[in-house]
Amino acid sequence: QLQIVESGGGLVQPGGSLRLSCEAPGFTLDYSNIGWFRQAPGKEQEAVSCISLRGGTTGYVDSVQGRFTISTDNSKNTVYLQMNSLKPEDTAVYYCAVDWNPAPPICTLLPRYDSWGQGTQVTVSS
């Protein structure tokens, strides 16, 4: 059964770091686009970052540019979101989403993804 699994969330102080992971056990991500989205309480869902594993492109929302890095470990079939210099406004539930057959293989920050995870909570607070 297809599942998108996020992990790595938690509580961190401002200025700290977290690394989120996204996996789809039993399914290969090699040809897909992966997007990270977040939703804070009372706010609309917001795109954070994306990566095209086949095309090699990445994208970031302006508010995280230079602080967050999306990457992949093909051997582990995992996509990571490294989040540095975290701010209280980064607090949200973070979701991983997969577009299994992107055409063209250019990632998008629009929520045009097929499969979504359940989310992992990230809280930035002192």
Side-chain angles (χ1 to χ4, degrees):
Q1 181 178 355
L2 173 64
Q3 278 189 306
I4 308 301
V5 181
E6 306 99 334
S7 61
L11 173 63
V12 64
Q13 293 186 342
S17 298
L18 284 174
R19 188 178 76 165
L20 305 184
S21 299
C22 174
E23 299 175 278
F27 294 83
T28 181
L29 298 174
D30 290 355
Y31 306 104
S32 64
N33 287 353
I34 306 295
W36 283 99
F37 296 80
R38 66 186 179 186
Q39 188 164 20
K43 295 189 176 181
E44 293 188 354
Q45 186 185 75
E46 175 189 33
V48 177
S49 181
C50 67
I51 185 168
S52 170
L53 272 69
R54 184 155 57 104
T57 60
T58 59
Y60 300 91
V61 68
D62 287 347
S63 60
V64 307
Q65 183 78 43
R67 299 189 297 122
F68 291 10
T69 303
I70 193 168
S71 64
T72 182
D73 183 337
N74 289 336
S75 66
K76 296 183 179 180
N77 201 37
T78 303
V79 171
Y80 301 102
L81 184 68
Q82 177 68 43
M83 306 187 296
N84 298 329
S85 302
L86 283 161
K87 304 175 181 180
E89 51 264 42
D90 294 317
T91 296
V93 177
Y94 283 70
Y95 298 90
C96 176
V98 181
D99 179 356
W100 297 100
N101 294 293
I106 302 172
C107 77
T108 177
L109 293 177
L110 297 174
R112 296 174 181 169
Y113 290 82
D114 306 311
S115 304
W116 293 75
Q118 293 299 306
T120 185
Q121 177 70 47
V122 171
T123 303
V124 185
S125 174
S126 55

Short mmCIF file of all heavy atoms in Angstrom, two decimals, residues 10-19 66-68 82-91 122-126:
data_model
loop_
_atom_site.label_atom_id
_atom_site.label_comp_id
_atom_site.label_asym_id
_atom_site.label_seq_id
_atom_site.Cartn_x
_atom_site.Cartn_y
_atom_site.Cartn_z
N GLY A 10 10.09 18.20 15.05
CA GLY A 10 10.32 18.30 16.47
C GLY A 10 10.31 19.74 16.93
O GLY A 10 9.92 20.65 16.19
N LEU A 11 10.77 19.91 18.16
CA LEU A 11 10.86 21.23 18.78
C LEU A 11 12.31 21.69 18.74
O LEU A 11 13.22 20.94 19.15
CB LEU A 11 10.38 21.16 20.23
CG LEU A 11 10.57 22.41 21.09
CD1 LEU A 11 9.76 23.58 20.53
CD2 LEU A 11 10.18 22.13 22.53
N VAL A 12 12.53 22.90 18.28
CA VAL A 12 13.89 23.43 18.17
C VAL A 12 13.85 24.90 18.52
O VAL A 12 12.84 25.58 18.31
CB VAL A 12 14.46 23.19 16.76
CG1 VAL A 12 13.66 23.95 15.70
CG2 VAL A 12 15.93 23.52 16.69
N GLN A 13 14.95 25.39 19.06
CA GLN A 13 15.04 26.81 19.39
C GLN A 13 15.30 27.64 18.14
O GLN A 13 15.87 27.14 17.15
CB GLN A 13 16.15 27.04 20.40
CG GLN A 13 15.87 26.44 21.77
CD GLN A 13 16.92 26.81 22.79
OE1 GLN A 13 18.02 27.23 22.45
NE2 GLN A 13 16.58 26.68 24.07
N PRO A 14 14.92 28.91 18.16
CA PRO A 14 15.25 29.78 17.03
C PRO A 14 16.74 29.75 16.73
O PRO A 14 17.57 29.76 17.66
CB PRO A 14 14.81 31.16 17.52
CG PRO A 14 13.71 30.88 18.49
CD PRO A 14 14.11 29.61 19.18
N GLY A 15 17.06 29.68 15.46
CA GLY A 15 18.45 29.57 15.04
C GLY A 15 18.93 28.13 14.90
O GLY A 15 20.02 27.90 14.36
N GLY A 16 18.13 27.21 15.35
CA GLY A 16 18.51 25.81 15.28
C GLY A 16 18.23 25.17 13.93
O GLY A 16 17.79 25.84 12.98
N SER A 17 18.47 23.86 13.88
CA SER A 17 18.32 23.12 12.62
C SER A 17 17.53 21.84 12.83
O SER A 17 17.53 21.26 13.92
CB SER A 17 19.70 22.75 12.06
OG SER A 17 20.46 23.88 11.77
N LEU A 18 16.88 21.43 11.77
CA LEU A 18 16.21 20.13 11.72
C LEU A 18 16.37 19.59 10.30
O LEU A 18 16.50 20.36 9.35
CB LEU A 18 14.72 20.25 12.04
CG LEU A 18 14.28 20.44 13.49
CD1 LEU A 18 12.78 20.67 13.55
CD2 LEU A 18 14.67 19.23 14.34
N ARG A 19 16.33 18.27 10.18
CA ARG A 19 16.33 17.65 8.86
C ARG A 19 15.11 16.77 8.74
O ARG A 19 14.96 15.80 9.49
CB ARG A 19 17.60 16.84 8.61
CG ARG A 19 17.69 16.36 7.16
CD ARG A 19 18.96 15.59 6.88
NE ARG A 19 18.94 14.25 7.43
CZ ARG A 19 19.79 13.29 7.08
NH1 ARG A 19 20.73 13.54 6.18
NH2 ARG A 19 19.72 12.11 7.64
N GLY A 66 18.15 30.06 0.97
CA GLY A 66 19.39 30.27 1.69
C GLY A 66 19.43 29.65 3.08
O GLY A 66 20.49 29.53 3.68
N ARG A 67 18.28 29.23 3.57
CA ARG A 67 18.23 28.57 4.90
C ARG A 67 17.89 27.09 4.78
O ARG A 67 18.36 26.29 5.58
CB ARG A 67 17.18 29.26 5.78
CG ARG A 67 17.45 30.72 6.04
CD ARG A 67 16.50 31.27 7.11
NE ARG A 67 15.11 31.22 6.69
CZ ARG A 67 14.14 30.58 7.36
NH1 ARG A 67 14.42 29.92 8.47
NH2 ARG A 67 12.88 30.60 6.92
N PHE A 68 17.06 26.75 3.81
CA PHE A 68 16.63 25.36 3.63
C PHE A 68 17.31 24.79 2.39
O PHE A 68 17.52 25.49 1.40
CB PHE A 68 15.12 25.28 3.44
CG PHE A 68 14.28 25.59 4.65
CD1 PHE A 68 14.85 26.15 5.80
CD2 PHE A 68 12.93 25.34 4.65
CE1 PHE A 68 14.09 26.43 6.91
CE2 PHE A 68 12.13 25.62 5.75
CZ PHE A 68 12.72 26.17 6.89
N GLN A 82 16.77 19.90 4.64
CA GLN A 82 17.61 20.42 5.70
C GLN A 82 17.20 21.84 6.00
O GLN A 82 17.22 22.69 5.10
CB GLN A 82 19.09 20.37 5.28
CG GLN A 82 20.04 20.95 6.31
CD GLN A 82 20.12 20.11 7.57
OE1 GLN A 82 20.18 18.88 7.51
NE2 GLN A 82 20.11 20.76 8.73
N MET A 83 16.83 22.10 7.23
CA MET A 83 16.33 23.42 7.63
C MET A 83 17.27 24.01 8.66
O MET A 83 17.40 23.48 9.76
CB MET A 83 14.91 23.29 8.19
CG MET A 83 13.95 22.57 7.26
SD MET A 83 12.24 22.58 7.85
CE MET A 83 12.40 21.65 9.36
N ASN A 84 17.93 25.08 8.28
CA ASN A 84 18.86 25.77 9.17
C ASN A 84 18.33 27.16 9.51
O ASN A 84 17.42 27.67 8.85
CB ASN A 84 20.23 25.90 8.50
CG ASN A 84 20.86 24.56 8.20
OD1 ASN A 84 20.64 23.57 8.90
ND2 ASN A 84 21.66 24.51 7.13
N SER A 85 18.92 27.75 10.53
CA SER A 85 18.54 29.10 10.95
C SER A 85 17.02 29.23 11.08
O SER A 85 16.41 30.19 10.59
CB SER A 85 19.06 30.13 9.94
OG SER A 85 20.46 30.04 9.82
N LEU A 86 16.45 28.27 11.76
CA LEU A 86 14.99 28.24 11.87
C LEU A 86 14.46 29.43 12.67
O LEU A 86 15.11 29.91 13.61
CB LEU A 86 14.55 26.92 12.51
CG LEU A 86 14.57 25.73 11.56
CD1 LEU A 86 14.58 24.42 12.31
CD2 LEU A 86 13.39 25.80 10.60
N LYS A 87 13.29 29.87 12.25
CA LYS A 87 12.63 31.02 12.87
C LYS A 87 11.27 30.58 13.41
O LYS A 87 10.69 29.60 12.92
CB LYS A 87 12.42 32.11 11.82
CG LYS A 87 13.68 32.57 11.11
CD LYS A 87 13.35 33.56 10.01
CE LYS A 87 14.59 34.00 9.27
NZ LYS A 87 14.28 34.98 8.20
N PRO A 88 10.74 31.31 14.37
CA PRO A 88 9.40 30.95 14.89
C PRO A 88 8.35 30.88 13.78
O PRO A 88 7.44 30.04 13.86
CB PRO A 88 9.11 32.08 15.88
CG PRO A 88 10.46 32.49 16.37
CD PRO A 88 11.36 32.38 15.18
N GLU A 89 8.49 31.70 12.78
CA GLU A 89 7.50 31.68 11.69
C GLU A 89 7.62 30.45 10.80
O GLU A 89 6.78 30.24 9.91
CB GLU A 89 7.61 32.94 10.83
CG GLU A 89 8.99 33.28 10.33
CD GLU A 89 9.70 34.29 11.23
OE1 GLU A 89 9.61 34.16 12.48
OE2 GLU A 89 10.36 35.20 10.68
N ASP A 90 8.63 29.63 11.01
CA ASP A 90 8.72 28.35 10.30
C ASP A 90 7.88 27.27 10.97
O ASP A 90 7.76 26.16 10.44
CB ASP A 90 10.18 27.87 10.23
CG ASP A 90 11.05 28.78 9.40
OD1 ASP A 90 10.61 29.22 8.32
OD2 ASP A 90 12.20 29.06 9.84
N THR A 91 7.32 27.58 12.12
CA THR A 91 6.49 26.61 12.83
C THR A 91 5.28 26.24 12.00
O THR A 91 4.53 27.11 11.55
CB THR A 91 6.04 27.19 14.18
OG1 THR A 91 7.19 27.39 15.01
CG2 THR A 91 5.07 26.24 14.87
N VAL A 122 6.77 20.73 13.02
CA VAL A 122 7.98 21.48 13.32
C VAL A 122 7.59 22.68 14.16
O VAL A 122 6.75 23.48 13.76
CB VAL A 122 8.69 21.94 12.03
CG1 VAL A 122 9.84 22.89 12.36
CG2 VAL A 122 9.21 20.74 11.25
N THR A 123 8.19 22.78 15.33
CA THR A 123 7.91 23.89 16.23
C THR A 123 9.22 24.60 16.57
O THR A 123 10.17 23.96 17.05
CB THR A 123 7.24 23.41 17.52
OG1 THR A 123 6.03 22.71 17.20
CG2 THR A 123 6.91 24.58 18.43
N VAL A 124 9.26 25.88 16.28
CA VAL A 124 10.44 26.68 16.57
C VAL A 124 10.08 27.67 17.67
O VAL A 124 9.30 28.60 17.46
CB VAL A 124 10.94 27.43 15.32
CG1 VAL A 124 12.25 28.15 15.63
CG2 VAL A 124 11.12 26.46 14.16
N SER A 125 10.65 27.44 18.83
CA SER A 125 10.28 28.25 19.98
C SER A 125 11.37 28.18 21.03
O SER A 125 12.05 27.16 21.18
CB SER A 125 8.96 27.74 20.58
OG SER A 125 8.65 28.42 21.78
N SER A 126 11.53 29.28 21.76
CA SER A 126 12.48 29.29 22.86
C SER A 126 11.78 28.94 24.17
O SER A 126 12.43 28.90 25.22
CB SER A 126 13.15 30.66 22.96
OG SER A 126 12.16 31.68 23.07
#
